[in-house]
Amino acid sequence: MRLMKGLTALTAVMAVTGCSTTYYGEEEPQANPTEAVTNVTPPQRDPADLQVLFWNDQQRNARFRRMEDWFAGLEVAPGVEPRKLAHGKPLSPKIAAQIRSFMKETNATGVMVLEDGQLRFEEYRLGFDKSQRWTSFSVAKSFTSTLLGAAVRDGFITSLQDPVTKYVHGLVGSAYDGVTVEQLATMTSGVAWNEDYTDPNSDVAATNHFVLEYGADAIVTQMRGLKREATAGEKWVYKTGETNLLGLVVENAVGLPLAEYAKSKIVDPAGFEGGMFWMTDPRGGNIGGCCLSLRLSDYARMGQFVLEGGPDVVPDGWFAKAGGPQVSFGKGFGYGYQWWTYPDGKFGAQGIFGQAITLVPEKKLVAAIVSNWPTASSNETRKRWVKLIEKVAASN
């Protein structure tokens, strides 16, 4: 069967206008497909209106909660047995007030805090509520990483030391020769990549050209043309394109789209209360580095599932490695397998415009936030969020 090929994440959001759900693996599908996954095909849109980075505040507020109205994807049914979130002791009025202030100052739409699996804080703003979903952006990367762990446990991926080219044959003869699956997961391939969305000559900006020119073959065509800038394993560079390759590795190995595999490996075992929407690219496979949508409570349930170790889904000890600093940036910050690591053992998933799942294992605490920041990224605001969660964890 024909090799599956992917599409770079955020630019895919700007480029995808529709697709089928046909997907292809290296072999016949090996995992059991589920009927609880359906195709979503939105109305045809003007491509100019799909430029997410250029949506105004009002458009973001309305569309971030209804991305399925704008982009094609797969809809996954809720968990078979939704996890109940029992109410625990409310956070102190002082801490709760600080969270509300942060939400107002940063244009957050929802925050939920769990401790030891119990609900301690839940708040919504800007017309968002517990029944609605919100887009994830790069929080999806950590879901893809979890599915990588599942594929390892299930035996679809033999080892993280396998070469990427074992699962994506189209990269044979490229700068990805000799790069391992683990190096892809830690973004240490040593392959040069420019992810500056303000630079019209960047690699991420060039993705639109490759999509228009090569369609379903865009990602492998583009990625195989990249040059090496460092020895594999020696240099970290953030590359959403490589997370899409990681998703492609999983899809080719398992024989299912990420969303379909996630039904039995994340949605059901984590006990999601609502459905999940995950965008697709021109192949009909899912965008590994971006763009699934969940209820706020299900982002928190994902955090709780991870905190508990993903029992019977990923290898034992998987999240100690995945959520540990495989790459260190100094002062306690680093990067694991598609998870960001913070001081004192904290780690989390994060996406542009203020989306995050933050875990404090020592306190058995999970904090989920969804937002509509006025700018796509802000290191200062991100650090403020981590500091705030430190205060929450230290409180009674």
Side-chain angles (χ1 to χ4, degrees):
M1 300 181 72
R2 190 163 65 89
L3 177 67
M4 292 208 308
K5 298 177 175 66
L7 180 64
T8 302
L10 186 57
T11 308
V13 177
M14 296 183 275
V16 175
T17 57
C19 62
S20 72
T21 55
T22 302
Y23 54 88
Y24 303 91
E26 296 289 339
E27 308 292 343
E28 293 295 328
Q30 298 165 302
N32 294 322
T34 172
E35 295 180 357
V37 179
T38 57
N39 181 42
V40 175
T41 304
Q44 191 72 23
R45 303 285 187 179
D46 183 342
D49 207 21
L50 299 176
Q51 304 285 328
V52 174
L53 289 175
F54 301 102
W55 286 350
N56 61 37
D57 178 78
Q58 184 178 9
Q59 289 171 328
R60 292 194 304 270
N61 187 49
R63 297 174 185 179
F64 281 4
R65 71 189 75 194
R66 292 290 306 176
M67 295 296 263
E68 61 270 29
D69 291 345
W70 296 87
F71 301 99
L74 296 178
E75 176 73 28
V76 181
V80 175
E81 296 182 11
R83 177 192 291 257
K84 295 182 180 180
L85 300 177
H87 285 268
K89 179 183 176 182
L91 296 178
S92 71
K94 179 180 179 181
I95 291 294
Q98 290 180 11
I99 295 176
R100 292 186 182 102
S101 293
F102 179 85
M103 292 177 69
K104 184 176 181 180
E105 292 165 8
T106 62
N107 219 32
T109 53
V111 169
M112 179 172 285
V113 176
L114 306 180
E115 186 171 6
D116 204 15
Q118 295 187 322
L119 181 61
R120 297 199 63 190
F121 182 89
E122 181 179 15
E123 191 87 13
Y124 300 91
R125 296 180 65 250
L126 302 175
F128 185 58
D129 62 45
K130 63 177 64 181
S131 68
Q132 295 179 318
R133 298 189 294 211
W134 197 267
T135 192
S136 62
F137 293 107
S138 288
V139 168
K141 288 180 169 67
S142 301
F143 283 67
T144 297
S145 167
T146 301
L147 296 176
L148 171 66
V152 170
R153 187 181 187 276
D154 287 348
F156 296 128
I157 293 175
T158 309
S159 168
L160 293 184
Q161 302 312 311
D162 285 348
V164 172
T165 51
K166 176 179 178 179
Y167 302 98
V168 185
H169 295 170
L171 293 177
V172 171
S174 74
Y176 285 95
D177 277 338
V179 173
T180 68
V181 173
E182 184 173 42
Q183 288 162 347
L184 202 63
T186 57
M187 297 192 182
T188 59
S189 68
V191 177
W193 176 268
N194 178 354
E195 189 144 343
D196 184 351
Y197 291 100
T198 66
D199 179 359
N201 297 312
S202 69
D203 294 303
V204 72
T207 302
N208 278 327
H209 163 74
F210 280 89
V211 170
L212 292 172
E213 185 73 19
Y214 298 100
D217 296 334
I219 186 63
V220 171
T221 301
Q222 182 180 20
M223 302 302 272
R224 71 170 288 110
L226 299 175
K227 305 298 182 183
R228 174 162 298 285
E229 65 174 355
T231 301
E234 292 186 358
K235 182 177 181 180
W236 182 87
V237 175
Y238 189 78
K239 309 182 189 82
T240 293
E242 289 198 342
T243 312
N244 288 317
L245 283 181
L246 190 66
L248 186 55
V249 165
V250 174
E251 289 188 331
N252 281 353
V254 173
L256 295 173
L258 295 174
E260 196 156 347
Y261 195 43
K263 171 59 177 167
S264 62
K265 300 302 174 181
I266 295 178
V267 175
D268 286 345
F272 286 2
E273 184 178 38
M276 178 178 72
F277 169 77
W278 199 333
M279 289 187 199
T280 48
D281 62 29
R283 303 169 301 120
N286 291 107
I287 302 171
C290 184
C291 309
L292 57 82
S293 296
L294 293 173
R295 295 181 182 184
L296 174 65
S297 63
D298 288 335
Y299 285 116
R301 286 181 174 90
M302 174 62 173
Q304 186 64 32
F305 171 71
V306 170
L307 201 61
E308 294 168 355
D312 301 321
V313 171
V314 297
D316 292 343
W318 173 261
F319 289 111
K321 283 191 172 183
Q326 302 300 319
V327 179
S328 176
F329 305 150
K331 297 183 178 180
F333 293 90
Y335 200 72
Y337 299 160
Q338 307 287 305
W339 292 88
W340 298 87
T341 66
Y342 313 120
D344 302 318
K346 297 184 293 297
F347 67 101
Q350 59 187 53
I352 60 170
F353 292 106
Q355 327 314 324
I357 304 171
T358 307
L359 291 82
V360 187
E362 183 182 10
K363 297 290 186 177
K364 299 182 180 179
L365 187 140
V366 174
I369 184 169
V370 292
S371 312
N372 175 17
W373 285 358
T375 59
S377 61
S378 171
N379 288 334
E380 179 183 352
T381 306
R382 189 72 67 188
K383 290 178 180 178
R384 283 182 60 198
W385 167 251
V386 174
K387 287 290 186 182
L388 178 59
I389 298 311
E390 289 176 352
K391 292 181 179 179
V392 173
S395 66
N396 293 325

